[in-house]
Amino acid sequence: MEKFLVKGPSKIKGEIKISGSKNSSLPILCASILFDKRVEIKNLPKVRDIETLLEILSKSLGFAVRRNKQKNSVIIFKTKKINTFCSYKLVSTMRASINLLGPLISKYKKATLSLPGGCLIGARPVNYHLSALKKLGMKYKIKKGYIHAHVEKNLVGTTIKFPKISVGATANTIIAACFAKGKTILKNCAIEPEIKYDLTNFLNKAGAKIKWIGKRTVRIYGVKSLKSISYSVMGDRIECGTFCVAATISNGNLKIKGLNPNIINTELNYLKKTGAKIKKSKNEIHIKGPKKVKCIKFLQTKEYDGFPTDLQAQFMALLCKANGQSIISENIFENRFMHVAELRRLGAKILIRGNKAIIEGNTNFEGAELMSSDLRASVALVIAASVANGKSIINRIYHLDRGYERIEKKLKKVGVNIKRIS
Ligand code: EPZ
């Protein structure tokens, strides 16, 4: 098992380029199932979840997948033997595979897909996906942990209001509705930029008819087919936010290229509250960390454009260094405080009360051996270790490799003493 050896404290200085967005690439790669002709997707991040999904598309579903690793791009095209079965073995390693259901039943009228298991941050049910696709005409039954779904003739457009905002269910249903007969209106949608801009732009460029007619309402007119296109995925806003936190916690000075700063205004405003100085230009952020981090009385995670749950762990590491008490409320997932026990091993003083974490602040981290849990908790440990006094070992970094492209290379380039050891 690989681990990171981190020697702190270090100050982040220099310039990095953000990789393509994992959470945009995944639904877009799932949507490639709709195409009859080749589709090229560029700026894919080299992360394990993308590798897993490309393996599912090729080995499990039978698509031809041609990689150009240098250019981080892939060309996908259908073959004569498309399969519609996706095994537990593959789905359990990448929950977002549930987003294969919408395109498979919309294009191929059937799918046998393993239910994704839960994960460390929560039960992660898929009831909103299933109920929305059922309203479009999907029939399904669940047997021995598999969803056996099919469509008689065609999906038919209708109006659907999601009971709760769900990124995955919104993406799955938009993709499925592209080939549904007539008009589909989806209400109470997730509006993360990966969905509202990137997935929508990708599909419309290929001839889909998707239009956002309200803040959380989208209208889709069904079409017969999509044309061959080439599309470049947007930058990863969570990776960008992660590096902004790393610069802030270390009194650093960092230039970050590859993302439109306006899509992370909420996070940048909170970083300013902690004392960071931020300059934004078209596709670049220049951030300087304060000598002493200021506390934030109350911070809560919300659906976009609120503060993202995917940055909660990283912010908690930052607030451990703040000049007073901060409170973070996690409102999206029921168990997303796995990093707290590990931050305490570095010396943090954090109390958990239900879905709230009370962070005492004024902590000087002392290096320790740590255990990664979920993807974002793991990177929070790397950030904390980078400013800790002395040596830290971070175990099970395969969690990190799921969503960050060789993060140690980027961190080393900007001054962090980190190396990958087996
Ligand atoms: C996406 O997960 C992201 N993953 C997550 O990022 C992110 O944390 C999450 O959205 C929230 O922003 C990808 O985009 C691949 P949801 P998703 O459906 O779609 C409940 C990362 O670190 N729910 O918006 O699974 C669910 O349990 C990952 O990159 C149901 O109850 O999130 C959660 O409490 C982690 N039933 C809440 O809704 C459903 O059918 C939000 O989930 C679906 C969701």
Side-chain angles (χ1 to χ4, degrees):
M1 285 251 220
E2 293 190 314
K3 43 185 93 175
F4 279 149
L5 171 62
V6 180
K7 285 190 187 124
S10 49
K11 249 188 197 189
I12 287 214
K13 256 172 101 61
E15 188 173 306
I16 56 144
K17 180 157 180 337
I18 293 301
S19 301
S21 162
K22 165 180 86 81
N23 291 351
S24 192
S25 305
L26 293 171
I28 284 176
L29 286 169
C30 290
S32 68
I33 288 173
L34 296 180
F35 288 69
D36 286 315
K37 301 198 188 67
R38 49 176 276 167
V39 56
E40 182 182 32
I41 300 158
K42 299 188 281 192
N43 196 34
L44 288 175
K46 286 197 192 85
V47 296
R48 212 150 56 77
D49 275 4
I50 301 299
E51 299 308 314
T52 306
L53 185 52
L54 290 174
E55 192 189 339
I56 291 174
L57 286 171
S58 53
K59 298 215 175 50
S60 211
L61 303 181
F63 284 83
V65 173
R66 219 175 36 226
R67 315 285 304 271
N68 179 330
K69 291 218 169 179
Q70 285 62 39
K71 286 199 286 179
N72 292 14
S73 68
V74 69
I75 293 176
I76 299 170
F77 42 98
K78 79 179 218 183
T79 62
K80 291 198 180 34
K81 44 176 192 18
I82 293 300
N83 194 343
T84 58
F85 170 78
C86 197
S87 72
Y88 172 73
K89 180 170 162 289
L90 284 164
V91 170
S92 57
T93 58
M94 222 274 300
R95 322 185 55 275
S97 324
I98 184 66
N99 281 355
L100 295 163
L101 182 60
L104 281 174
I105 54 132
S106 186
K107 172 77 179 164
Y108 293 97
K109 318 297 179 209
K110 63 182 171 46
T112 306
L113 205 63
S114 162
L115 273 170
C119 72
L120 279 169
I121 63 177
R124 311 293 292 275
V126 291
N127 51 325
Y128 304 148
H129 297 246
L130 296 174
S131 56
L133 294 172
K134 188 173 173 208
K135 286 184 186 132
L136 285 176
M138 176 183 83
K139 308 256 181 294
Y140 75 94
K141 58 180 185 309
I142 293 178
K143 238 168 66 182
K144 297 199 178 97
Y146 277 80
I147 304 163
H148 298 267
H150 73 280
V151 179
E152 272 120 39
K153 283 179 67 202
N154 217 61
L155 292 178
V156 178
T158 183
T159 296
I160 298 168
K161 183 172 178 8
F162 290 105
K164 216 179 115 180
I165 294 166
S166 160
V167 173
T170 302
N172 223 347
T173 315
I174 287 175
I175 296 169
C178 286
F179 288 167
K181 263 166 82 66
K183 176 167 77 171
T184 299
I185 304 263
L186 304 178
K187 297 180 174 175
N188 200 27
C189 293
I191 55 172
E192 272 65 5
E194 294 79 17
I195 310 300
K196 189 161 187 175
Y197 307 125
D198 234 17
L199 177 65
T200 301
N201 295 341
F202 167 73
L203 289 166
N204 281 342
K205 184 174 181 182
K209 290 190 171 24
I210 304 167
K211 187 168 173 27
W212 288 83
I213 56 176
K215 180 177 179 191
R216 292 188 181 276
T217 304
V218 65
R219 183 195 65 208
I220 302 121
Y221 285 118
V223 294
K224 289 262 172 298
S225 65
L226 296 176
K227 64 182 194 294
S228 178
I229 58 161
S230 174
Y231 188 84
S232 189
V233 164
M234 68 186 280
D236 191 312
R237 64 187 166 96
I238 303 298
E239 184 193 19
C240 183
T242 301
F243 277 101
C244 287
V245 170
T248 305
I249 198 173
S250 63
N251 184 216
N253 181 343
L254 185 65
K255 262 195 188 156
I256 305 173
K257 292 176 179 291
L259 186 91
N260 170 358
N262 294 324
I263 64 167
I264 58 167
N265 268 333
T266 302
E267 301 87 312
L268 294 179
N269 289 336
Y270 273 109
L271 285 167
K272 283 180 195 155
K273 283 195 177 123
T274 67
K277 297 275 175 274
I278 295 168
K279 269 201 214 99
K280 298 189 290 189
S281 54
K282 190 165 170 304
N283 228 14
E284 189 177 300
I285 294 169
H286 185 187
I287 182 163
K288 287 185 183 161
K291 281 209 173 16
K292 181 68 184 159
V293 174
K294 294 195 190 86
C295 57
I296 293 179
K297 287 294 160 234
F298 184 66
L299 169 65
Q300 58 178 334
T301 63
K302 283 191 188 156
E303 297 86 358
Y304 196 88
D305 49 4
F307 185 87
T309 174
D310 290 351
L311 220 50
Q312 178 258 105
Q314 299 91 316
F315 243 77
M316 191 181 291
L318 173 65
L319 294 172
C320 290
K321 303 284 292 170
N323 61 354
Q325 185 183 92
S326 306
I327 296 178
I328 295 182
S329 173
E330 171 55 56
N331 301 323
I332 304 292
F333 289 107
E334 64 269 32
N335 185 32
R336 203 167 196 176
F337 284 147
M338 305 296 289
H339 40 286
V340 172
E342 299 307 308
L343 290 170
R344 286 181 182 140
R345 291 178 55 73
L346 289 167
K349 300 177 284 302
I350 305 170
L351 267 181
I352 303 285
R353 290 279 176 276
N355 69 332
K356 287 179 183 48
I358 302 141
I359 304 126
E360 274 322 303
N362 292 308
T363 298
N364 284 319
F365 290 133
E366 293 299 325
E369 180 144 12
L370 305 165
M371 188 68 76
S372 303
S373 52
D374 64 282
L375 162 60
R376 309 299 176 183
S378 315
V379 80
L381 301 182
V382 173
I383 289 173
S386 72
V387 292
N389 297 312
K391 215 165 70 174
S392 296
I393 299 261
I394 299 163
N395 294 296
R396 296 193 190 164
I397 53 172
Y398 58 84
H399 288 290
L400 255 166
D401 292 335
R402 290 193 51 181
Y404 288 93
E405 188 174 331
R406 300 304 287 185
I407 192 164
E408 75 274 21
K409 275 200 179 130
K410 289 181 180 171
L411 286 169
K412 212 178 285 180
K413 187 169 163 259
V414 291
V416 176
N417 184 337
I418 179 171
K419 71 177 181 195
R420 185 181 287 256
I421 51 178
S422 311

